[in-house]
Amino acid sequence: MKLQDYVKYLVCIFVVNFGTTYCNKRIIVPSLRSIDDQIASRHERSVLDLLFGRFRTCGACLCGRPNRKATRLLGGEYTESHEFPWLANIHVKSNLISGVLINDRYVMTAASEIIGATAPEIKISLGEYDRCTLDISSVNVSVESIILHPEFNPDSHTHDLALIRLSRPTKFEKRISPVCLPNPGSTYLGQVGTLVGWTTNKSEDNMDTCRPRKLGLPILGYNECIKSGINPMNFNDDYGCIGVVGTSSLVCENDIGSSVQYRSYTGVYDLIGIIPNVNKCDNVTRPTVFTRVGPHLDWILQNTKDACYCTK
């Protein structure tokens, strides 16, 4: 057994008290390219992140677990009640946008929708499902500070990401828990992504929606995005796209801040994208563009050191 294998084993022993790290020989001897090895490698990354202090855990909580055991995606169907417990409603002055809870103190959304707003002008609702019905079980939280991505460009809308720091830590329960951050270096190309949020169905006249919807669409590569109608002059490495080749975008202007997620075969959701302010609600053939979260992991972790994360 190599020295690095012993180190990995000792790391597993060190964090076993957290109760969420899966440590066994599959991590120590990664020789088989099986599904179990893929699970082990993901946990290994979490262990190493813990060891080197990239983030601290909130205890035994788990991220990315929906409140629905099985999911069947139709064309923009409504979600089950609190199916995605990380969804957040963000009240910005008189506007209402979407966001996602990523740990106990921060909600992520699109920077373009909160630029110019101050912390007192923003309120966050967690555990809310039906926007049109008073829900006394939801939690309303004030905002302490706003962190826009330092490279956010309000003209081109590149790096259209923002972190909103809540005024107090979030108490996790069935209706309120965080989504997982994406795996480092993963592109998720060729996988089915899940677009989730209080998105509008273009076939409806009413542009407001009460309950969140979900829609499964393939995650496309750069060449497919360009062939599908996206102008290459407006598409950069910061973006990804999701959709069916030959169809128009399925999101509208008021879907900004909604999330693109990936559901693993084990049912765990990773946050892979945030909808920026670049998509148009028209019948022009082009897929939906999203800001990729993966390339911004360092920025996210650097600016959320005061928060704790749930593990995969």
Side-chain angles (χ1 to χ4, degrees):
M1 187 179 296
K2 298 180 181 180
L3 177 60
Q4 64 181 18
D5 294 333
Y6 278 112
V7 172
K8 293 174 185 176
Y9 179 77
L10 291 175
V11 169
C12 288
I13 296 298
F14 174 75
V15 297
V16 72
N17 289 330
F18 286 107
T20 56
T21 302
Y22 186 51
C23 303
N24 59 23
K25 291 183 178 179
R26 284 193 292 271
I27 294 178
I28 297 174
V29 187
S31 57
L32 299 177
R33 295 181 178 272
S34 63
I35 291 176
D36 287 337
D37 291 330
Q38 296 174 24
I39 298 176
S41 64
R42 293 179 67 178
H43 283 286
E44 181 181 355
R45 281 193 294 270
S46 297
V47 169
L48 294 177
D49 280 340
L50 284 171
L51 179 65
F52 294 108
R54 296 197 72 191
F55 63 82
R56 60 185 177 89
T57 61
C58 300
C61 65
L62 300 173
C63 63
R65 268 62 175 183
N67 289 315
R68 189 179 185 181
K69 295 301 181 183
T71 181
R72 180 173 60 89
L73 292 173
L74 301 176
E77 64 175 315
Y78 288 112
T79 69
E80 296 288 330
S81 178
H82 301 95
E83 180 176 344
F84 300 95
W86 43 84
L87 295 185
N89 269 318
I90 305 173
H91 303 257
V92 186
K93 301 177 182 178
S94 59
N95 296 325
L96 191 59
I97 63 172
S98 299
V100 282
L101 185 69
I102 61 171
N103 52 44
D104 72 326
R105 291 300 291 265
Y106 289 87
V107 166
M108 177 172 283
T109 188
S112 54
E113 294 304 284
I114 58 176
I115 188 170
T118 62
E121 294 174 322
I122 300 177
K123 296 292 184 292
I124 306 292
S125 295
L126 300 173
E128 191 172 34
Y129 176 64
D130 191 334
R131 284 176 168 177
C132 303
T133 303
L134 179 63
D135 184 2
I136 60 174
S137 64
S138 61
V139 177
N140 297 316
V141 189
S142 58
V143 170
E144 185 173 290
S145 60
I146 304 165
I147 305 173
L148 304 181
H149 194 283
E151 297 180 56
F152 168 61
N153 187 322
D155 295 323
S156 64
H157 299 289
T158 54
H159 306 284
D160 196 355
L161 295 175
L163 295 168
I164 301 176
R165 188 179 193 274
L166 306 179
S167 61
R168 65 176 186 270
T170 303
K171 183 179 180 180
F172 300 137
E173 39 113 335
K174 183 178 181 181
R175 295 163 304 168
I176 303 174
S177 64
V179 69
C180 299
L181 292 179
N183 294 327
S186 297
T187 62
Y188 300 93
L189 295 182
Q191 304 295 328
V192 174
T194 305
L195 177 63
V196 184
W198 281 268
T199 57
T200 301
N201 191 325
K202 292 196 297 184
S203 63
E204 298 177 358
D205 294 332
N206 185 7
M207 294 299 288
D208 295 324
T209 180
C210 295
R211 293 174 292 158
R213 287 187 172 97
K214 62 182 178 181
L215 177 64
L217 294 167
I219 301 170
L220 307 177
Y222 175 82
N223 291 332
E224 293 173 304
C225 294
I226 301 305
K227 290 179 181 178
S228 298
I230 294 179
N231 186 342
M233 298 297 293
N234 301 326
F235 194 78
N236 54 64
D237 293 339
D238 190 54
Y239 289 145
C241 80
I242 183 171
V244 177
V245 176
T247 62
S248 59
S249 175
L250 296 173
V251 303
C252 295
E253 287 85 346
N254 64 339
D255 297 326
I256 302 168
S258 297
S259 56
V260 178
Q261 306 167 21
Y262 166 71
R263 180 182 182 270
S264 70
Y265 77 98
T266 58
V268 178
Y269 281 88
D270 292 346
L271 174 66
I272 63 174
I274 296 291
I275 300 298
N277 188 15
V278 297
N279 296 286
K280 300 297 181 182
C281 191
D282 53 30
N283 293 320
V284 177
T285 300
R286 56 173 172 260
T288 298
V289 173
F290 62 88
T291 302
R292 297 166 58 208
V293 172
H296 302 92
L297 280 178
D298 287 341
W299 171 74
I300 295 169
L301 296 175
Q302 182 69 27
N303 286 278
T304 59
K305 288 182 178 179
D306 54 339
C308 67
Y309 284 82
C310 295
T311 58
K312 293 185 181 182

